[in-house]
Amino acid sequence: MRHPVQKLAFNRTNGRLYLAAGEKLQEFDPTTGVLVQEWSTELIAADETKDEQPKKKKAKTEQAKVVRNAFRTLSCSEDGRYIVGSTDELKSLVVLSTTDLSLQYSRKFPKRPSALAITDSNETLLLGDKFGDVYSLPIVPSAGSKPGHSKLSSAENESGYDIEPIFGHVSMLVDLLVTPEVEGARYAISSDRDEHVRVTRYPEACVIERFCFGHMQYVSQLLVPSWAPTTLLSGGGDDFLARWNWTTGELVEKIELEAYIGAEPSEEDSEFEVAVSGIWEIPELKIVLVFDDNSKKLLSFKIPESQSEPARFLSSKKYDLLDAAVSGTNGEAWLTVYNSSESEGPEIKKIKVDESGVITEIEEALAKKISETASFEIASRADVLALHPVSLLRKHAEH
């Protein structure tokens, strides 16, 4: 059987589609379905474990440690030159050239990276980890950079570049973005497991501009629509999608999701719980797609540019969705869907969203070709490198 595709990224500069499944990354030409090139985190895993010293309390073994290093985040820089991802087991940042998927830079972090944002300068990225720290570092360090002192251990700091957190949360950081320029300034907006949405000046990250208060559960997804730069959409474990004016902290609107999801409580649960695991924009239509991981519903909403107008629900469609990547043209997007059949491989779909928000599958033969070509062979379902569902972020009262 084949490993499900867990992460997608679309490069709007060269028009290529990137698929990450477990520890492998593949690049496809989405116009022909042809596999162009491939890269694996096994390459950095081999380097990391080769020189790793055994802990004093553990017996030495001749057998090398097996590292299963899945991609957790995946993004393309706006200029299309780099594809950037973070991995689980080695807690590493990986930067690859989109020209030949050659490794440009990698480094370990003290805690597992959980969120990643690339600034529009395409030179700097922000990385947040499960400890709540946020780091700022160049996508590719310059040749003249010199090693500096770091609080990381020598093994963790072997790439030699000094990094320090620029700000942090007291809880696991879940999502992170950098805003477009508003009145001559930029800001970093971050969210955590403790319902906080924080607006921080960037790069003067020592200054907290404000918090957006209104969530009662974890906030797993943030989006500033490109056509409404002062609007922030946030969602997670609450039964609503919050629409903010992030420049003032005002909660403009609560977009209730339960009415559109139409889910019923299960026999085990007395109450259905929303779990927003994805928010993507269709900029040419001023539409956003929102996915609820519990009901498996992909919802489309019209988000007006003016905050005085309410958002409108448009349509919904059911998918067991793992990730999505919007192409940025003609309302088209790529989806990776969980396939429960062990006899079949990854399931990739291409969709089109029209002006009324209706979601339609298109070019099914091409999507099927990519699904069949994606070579992520594994022995059994036990070998799937699991990325924990967002619903596990919910905190339940202890009895």
Short mmCIF file of all heavy atoms in Angstrom, two decimals, residues 109-111 126-129 131-137 149-152 162-169 198 203 205-206:
data_model
loop_
_atom_site.label_atom_id
_atom_site.label_comp_id
_atom_site.label_asym_id
_atom_site.label_seq_id
_atom_site.Cartn_x
_atom_site.Cartn_y
_atom_site.Cartn_z
N PHE A 109 15.84 22.34 16.31
CA PHE A 109 15.33 23.26 17.32
C PHE A 109 15.11 22.51 18.63
O PHE A 109 14.98 21.28 18.63
CB PHE A 109 14.03 23.91 16.84
CG PHE A 109 14.26 24.98 15.81
CD1 PHE A 109 14.47 24.63 14.48
CD2 PHE A 109 14.32 26.30 16.16
CE1 PHE A 109 14.72 25.60 13.53
CE2 PHE A 109 14.57 27.28 15.22
CZ PHE A 109 14.77 26.93 13.91
N PRO A 110 15.08 23.22 19.75
CA PRO A 110 14.91 22.54 21.04
C PRO A 110 13.60 21.78 21.15
O PRO A 110 13.54 20.71 21.74
CB PRO A 110 14.95 23.69 22.06
CG PRO A 110 15.61 24.82 21.37
CD PRO A 110 15.27 24.68 19.92
N LYS A 111 12.52 22.34 20.57
CA LYS A 111 11.21 21.71 20.60
C LYS A 111 10.67 21.57 19.18
O LYS A 111 11.11 22.26 18.27
CB LYS A 111 10.23 22.53 21.46
CG LYS A 111 10.63 22.67 22.92
CD LYS A 111 10.54 21.35 23.65
CE LYS A 111 10.92 21.51 25.12
NZ LYS A 111 10.83 20.23 25.86
N LEU A 126 9.52 33.11 10.08
CA LEU A 126 9.24 32.97 11.50
C LEU A 126 8.84 31.53 11.75
O LEU A 126 8.07 30.94 10.98
CB LEU A 126 8.10 33.89 11.95
CG LEU A 126 8.32 35.40 11.80
CD1 LEU A 126 7.14 36.16 12.39
CD2 LEU A 126 9.60 35.84 12.45
N LEU A 127 9.37 30.95 12.82
CA LEU A 127 9.07 29.58 13.16
C LEU A 127 8.67 29.50 14.63
O LEU A 127 9.38 30.01 15.49
CB LEU A 127 10.27 28.68 12.87
CG LEU A 127 10.08 27.18 13.11
CD1 LEU A 127 10.81 26.38 12.05
CD2 LEU A 127 10.60 26.77 14.48
N GLY A 128 7.50 28.91 14.88
CA GLY A 128 7.04 28.72 16.25
C GLY A 128 7.09 27.26 16.64
O GLY A 128 6.95 26.37 15.78
N ASP A 129 7.29 26.99 17.93
CA ASP A 129 7.39 25.60 18.35
C ASP A 129 6.36 25.26 19.42
O ASP A 129 5.63 26.13 19.91
CB ASP A 129 8.81 25.27 18.82
CG ASP A 129 9.23 26.02 20.08
OD1 ASP A 129 8.36 26.47 20.84
OD2 ASP A 129 10.44 26.15 20.31
N PHE A 131 6.71 24.62 22.39
CA PHE A 131 7.00 25.22 23.68
C PHE A 131 6.46 26.64 23.77
O PHE A 131 6.39 27.22 24.84
CB PHE A 131 8.52 25.22 23.90
CG PHE A 131 8.93 25.41 25.33
CD1 PHE A 131 8.69 24.44 26.27
CD2 PHE A 131 9.57 26.58 25.73
CE1 PHE A 131 9.06 24.62 27.59
CE2 PHE A 131 9.95 26.76 27.05
CZ PHE A 131 9.70 25.78 27.98
N GLY A 132 6.06 27.21 22.61
CA GLY A 132 5.50 28.56 22.56
C GLY A 132 6.46 29.61 22.07
O GLY A 132 6.08 30.77 21.91
N ASP A 133 7.72 29.24 21.81
CA ASP A 133 8.72 30.21 21.35
C ASP A 133 8.58 30.46 19.86
O ASP A 133 8.25 29.56 19.08
CB ASP A 133 10.14 29.71 21.65
CG ASP A 133 10.46 29.74 23.13
OD1 ASP A 133 9.91 30.60 23.85
OD2 ASP A 133 11.25 28.90 23.59
N VAL A 134 8.89 31.70 19.44
CA VAL A 134 8.90 32.08 18.03
C VAL A 134 10.28 32.61 17.69
O VAL A 134 10.80 33.50 18.37
CB VAL A 134 7.83 33.14 17.72
CG1 VAL A 134 7.92 33.58 16.26
CG2 VAL A 134 6.44 32.62 18.03
N TYR A 135 10.87 32.04 16.63
CA TYR A 135 12.20 32.44 16.17
C TYR A 135 12.11 33.15 14.83
O TYR A 135 11.25 32.83 14.01
CB TYR A 135 13.11 31.20 15.99
CG TYR A 135 13.30 30.38 17.24
CD1 TYR A 135 12.41 29.35 17.57
CD2 TYR A 135 14.38 30.61 18.09
CE1 TYR A 135 12.59 28.58 18.71
CE2 TYR A 135 14.57 29.84 19.23
CZ TYR A 135 13.67 28.83 19.53
OH TYR A 135 13.85 28.07 20.66
N SER A 136 12.99 34.10 14.60
CA SER A 136 13.14 34.75 13.30
C SER A 136 14.51 34.39 12.75
O SER A 136 15.52 34.53 13.45
CB SER A 136 13.01 36.27 13.44
OG SER A 136 13.26 36.90 12.20
N LEU A 137 14.57 33.92 11.51
CA LEU A 137 15.85 33.55 10.93
C LEU A 137 15.78 33.66 9.42
O LEU A 137 14.69 33.63 8.82
CB LEU A 137 16.24 32.14 11.36
CG LEU A 137 15.37 30.96 10.98
CD1 LEU A 137 16.17 29.67 11.11
CD2 LEU A 137 14.15 30.85 11.91
N HIS A 149 27.18 32.35 19.79
CA HIS A 149 26.78 31.61 20.98
C HIS A 149 25.28 31.35 20.93
O HIS A 149 24.51 32.18 20.52
CB HIS A 149 27.12 32.42 22.23
CG HIS A 149 26.61 31.80 23.48
ND1 HIS A 149 27.13 30.64 24.00
CD2 HIS A 149 25.59 32.17 24.30
CE1 HIS A 149 26.48 30.33 25.11
NE2 HIS A 149 25.53 31.24 25.29
N SER A 150 24.86 30.19 21.36
CA SER A 150 23.46 29.84 21.40
C SER A 150 23.17 29.06 22.66
O SER A 150 24.03 28.39 23.20
CB SER A 150 23.07 29.01 20.17
OG SER A 150 21.75 28.56 20.28
N LYS A 151 21.93 29.17 23.11
CA LYS A 151 21.51 28.41 24.29
C LYS A 151 21.24 26.95 23.93
O LYS A 151 21.00 26.14 24.81
CB LYS A 151 20.26 29.04 24.90
CG LYS A 151 20.53 30.42 25.50
CD LYS A 151 19.26 31.01 26.09
CE LYS A 151 19.53 32.38 26.71
NZ LYS A 151 18.30 32.99 27.26
N LEU A 152 21.26 26.62 22.64
CA LEU A 152 21.03 25.24 22.24
C LEU A 152 22.27 24.41 22.51
O LEU A 152 23.39 24.92 22.56
CB LEU A 152 20.69 25.18 20.75
CG LEU A 152 19.50 26.01 20.28
CD1 LEU A 152 19.27 25.77 18.81
CD2 LEU A 152 18.25 25.69 21.07
N ASP A 162 23.51 31.60 15.27
CA ASP A 162 22.91 32.01 16.52
C ASP A 162 21.42 32.27 16.33
O ASP A 162 21.03 33.03 15.46
CB ASP A 162 23.61 33.28 17.01
CG ASP A 162 23.14 33.70 18.38
OD1 ASP A 162 22.53 32.87 19.07
OD2 ASP A 162 23.39 34.85 18.76
N ILE A 163 20.58 31.63 17.12
CA ILE A 163 19.15 31.93 17.11
C ILE A 163 18.67 32.09 18.53
O ILE A 163 19.10 31.39 19.43
CB ILE A 163 18.32 30.83 16.40
CG1 ILE A 163 18.48 29.48 17.10
CG2 ILE A 163 18.67 30.73 14.92
CD1 ILE A 163 17.46 28.46 16.66
N GLU A 164 17.80 33.05 18.73
CA GLU A 164 17.15 33.28 20.00
C GLU A 164 15.69 33.57 19.73
O GLU A 164 15.35 34.17 18.72
CB GLU A 164 17.79 34.47 20.73
CG GLU A 164 19.25 34.31 21.09
CD GLU A 164 19.47 33.32 22.22
OE1 GLU A 164 18.49 32.98 22.89
OE2 GLU A 164 20.62 32.90 22.40
N PRO A 165 14.79 33.16 20.62
CA PRO A 165 13.37 33.50 20.43
C PRO A 165 13.17 35.01 20.42
O PRO A 165 13.79 35.73 21.21
CB PRO A 165 12.70 32.86 21.65
CG PRO A 165 13.64 31.82 22.15
CD PRO A 165 15.01 32.35 21.84
N ILE A 166 12.32 35.50 19.52
CA ILE A 166 12.03 36.93 19.49
C ILE A 166 10.78 37.26 20.30
O ILE A 166 10.60 38.39 20.75
CB ILE A 166 11.90 37.45 18.06
CG1 ILE A 166 10.76 36.73 17.31
CG2 ILE A 166 13.21 37.31 17.30
CD1 ILE A 166 10.43 37.36 15.96
N PHE A 167 9.90 36.28 20.49
CA PHE A 167 8.79 36.41 21.43
C PHE A 167 8.23 35.03 21.69
O PHE A 167 8.66 34.05 21.08
CB PHE A 167 7.71 37.39 20.95
CG PHE A 167 6.90 36.94 19.75
CD1 PHE A 167 5.73 36.20 19.91
CD2 PHE A 167 7.28 37.29 18.46
CE1 PHE A 167 4.97 35.81 18.83
CE2 PHE A 167 6.53 36.90 17.37
CZ PHE A 167 5.37 36.16 17.55
N GLY A 168 7.28 34.94 22.61
CA GLY A 168 6.77 33.63 22.95
C GLY A 168 5.41 33.66 23.61
O GLY A 168 4.95 34.71 24.07
N HIS A 169 4.78 32.51 23.64
CA HIS A 169 3.53 32.28 24.35
C HIS A 169 3.83 31.35 25.52
O HIS A 169 4.86 30.68 25.55
CB HIS A 169 2.49 31.62 23.43
CG HIS A 169 1.94 32.52 22.39
ND1 HIS A 169 0.59 32.75 22.24
CD2 HIS A 169 2.53 33.25 21.41
CE1 HIS A 169 0.37 33.57 21.22
NE2 HIS A 169 1.55 33.88 20.70
N ARG A 198 -2.62 36.81 19.48
CA ARG A 198 -1.74 37.91 19.86
C ARG A 198 -1.23 38.64 18.63
O ARG A 198 -0.82 38.03 17.64
CB ARG A 198 -0.56 37.35 20.66
CG ARG A 198 0.57 38.33 20.93
CD ARG A 198 1.62 37.69 21.80
NE ARG A 198 2.88 38.41 21.75
CZ ARG A 198 3.93 38.15 22.52
NH1 ARG A 198 3.87 37.19 23.42
NH2 ARG A 198 5.04 38.85 22.39
N PRO A 203 9.52 43.97 12.85
CA PRO A 203 10.37 43.05 13.63
C PRO A 203 10.61 43.46 15.08
O PRO A 203 11.37 42.81 15.77
CB PRO A 203 11.67 43.08 12.83
CG PRO A 203 11.74 44.44 12.25
CD PRO A 203 10.32 44.83 11.95
N ALA A 205 9.65 42.80 17.94
CA ALA A 205 8.78 41.80 18.54
C ALA A 205 8.68 41.90 20.05
O ALA A 205 7.91 41.15 20.67
CB ALA A 205 9.24 40.40 18.15
N CYS A 206 9.45 42.78 20.68
CA CYS A 206 9.33 42.95 22.12
C CYS A 206 8.07 43.71 22.49
O CYS A 206 7.68 43.76 23.67
CB CYS A 206 10.56 43.69 22.67
SG CYS A 206 10.81 45.32 21.95
#
